[in-house]
Amino acid sequence: MIVRRLSEIADGQRDVRGPTFASRRLLLAEDGIGYSLHDTVLYAGSTTPMYYRHHLESVYCVSGRGVLTDHDTGAVHQIAEGTLYVLDGHEHHELFAETDLRMICVFTPPLTGDEVHDEHGTYPLLTDADTGMAASP
Ligand code: 9YT
């Protein structure tokens, strides 16, 4: 069993800051669960373009307000507390945060924690073999 608290990972290696967000990685590939789970805050007034070529992502809004644009279809969605969106088609998308947006994000395959957004807002596909970390038994 894993029991982990946000307070334990705040400001550590699993607390990753980007220009528009802070992402606290509660679960990563090294935990051996098969997905990663993140508590992410996107800052009020920011826009984050994203594209996950190698990953599926489910994103559940637990607080705040924003606007999600699907650049593949042009569809625009209002995001608020209680809204889930699922990137099941590797969509190019962007998220505008009207207020601070707190999102619970689940990635499969799991992020290792070493990915950085490239120029497309995407993450490479890394496995623990790439980072030298062994998965938990
Ligand atoms: C909604 C969102 O930001 N998804 C991406 C996850 C987060 N930025 C992260 O952990 O890198």
Side-chain angles (χ1 to χ4, degrees):
M1 186 186 292
I2 298 170
V3 177
R4 191 165 282 154
R5 297 181 175 84
L6 193 57
S7 57
E8 294 165 1
I9 61 170
D11 301 323
Q13 259 193 324
R14 285 174 177 240
D15 185 347
V16 175
R17 308 295 169 104
T20 58
F21 64 86
S23 182
R24 288 75 59 93
R25 276 76 184 267
L26 287 154
L27 288 173
L28 286 171
E30 64 181 315
D31 294 307
I33 306 300
Y35 52 83
S36 57
L37 187 143
H38 316 200
D39 181 329
T40 297
V41 177
L42 297 121
Y43 304 133
S46 69
T47 300
T48 308
M50 290 171 276
Y51 168 52
Y52 300 114
R53 195 188 332 219
H54 306 291
H55 301 85
L56 305 179
E57 187 193 17
S58 296
V59 185
Y60 183 63
C61 178
V62 293
S63 69
R65 251 188 5 260
V67 179
L68 171 69
T69 302
D70 179 340
H71 288 305
D72 292 354
T73 64
V76 174
H77 305 279
Q78 300 299 318
I79 302 296
E81 180 184 331
T83 307
L84 168 73
Y85 67 87
V86 180
L87 302 166
D88 58 353
H90 307 282
E91 294 88 347
H92 292 80
H93 63 289
E94 73 179 31
L95 189 52
F96 169 64
E98 289 174 43
T99 65
D100 276 1
L101 266 179
R102 187 166 179 194
M103 314 297 268
I104 305 301
C105 314
V106 175
F107 279 84
T108 179
L111 297 194
T112 66
D114 286 347
E115 296 83 355
V116 284
H117 282 265
D118 68 13
E119 68 279 14
H120 308 296
T122 192
Y123 284 139
L125 180 62
L126 294 183
T127 66
D128 281 331
D130 296 312
T131 60
M133 284 189 284
S136 308

